[in-house]
């Protein structure tokens, strides 16, 4: 058999990048509530092709924030910018 270990993607939030983006933080507007995500380290923000985004996320860009669950803790796994 095959054994898979690690985090499991459990939820995805969608929205638009806000006009102000503090360092290492992604502010997202959505239909429910504005959200603030702290991104520590590199490699969390990707484009649709899976390539690393090395520039600031432009205001109004559509984003999908993917969360993982490890030991019952919900953390950001990665962000995809459309």
């Amino acid at each position: 058999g095959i054994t898979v270990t690690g985090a499991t993607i459990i939820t995805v939030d969608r929205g638009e990048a806000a006009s102000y983006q503090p360092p290492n933080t992604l502010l997202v507007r959505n239909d429910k509530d504005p959200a603030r995500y702290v991104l520590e380290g590199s490699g969390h923000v990707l484009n649709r092709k899976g390539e690393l985004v090395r520039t600031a996320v432009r205001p109004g860009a559509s984003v999908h924030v993917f969360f993982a669950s490890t030991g019952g803790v919900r953390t950001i796994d990665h962000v995809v910018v459309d």
Side-chain angles (χ1 to χ4, degrees):
I2 298 174
T3 302
V4 178
T5 60
T8 303
I9 303 296
I10 55 167
T11 57
V12 179
D13 284 352
R14 295 170 46 172
E16 290 183 351
S19 58
Y20 171 69
Q21 298 295 334
N24 299 322
T25 304
L26 178 62
L27 298 178
V28 177
R29 295 185 311 243
N30 59 32
D31 294 336
K32 298 177 278 182
D33 298 313
R36 177 181 174 152
Y37 305 107
V38 177
L39 305 173
E40 295 179 5
S42 60
H44 293 286
V45 182
L46 310 169
N47 63 21
R48 278 190 267 175
K49 297 177 184 176
E51 301 165 333
L52 188 62
V53 173
R54 298 183 188 278
T55 60
V57 177
R58 70 178 164 71
S62 176
V63 296
H64 295 79
V65 182
F66 290 80
F67 295 93
S69 178
T70 305
V73 177
R74 184 178 180 225
T75 58
I76 295 175
D77 185 72
H78 65 282
V79 176
V80 175
V81 180
D82 288 337

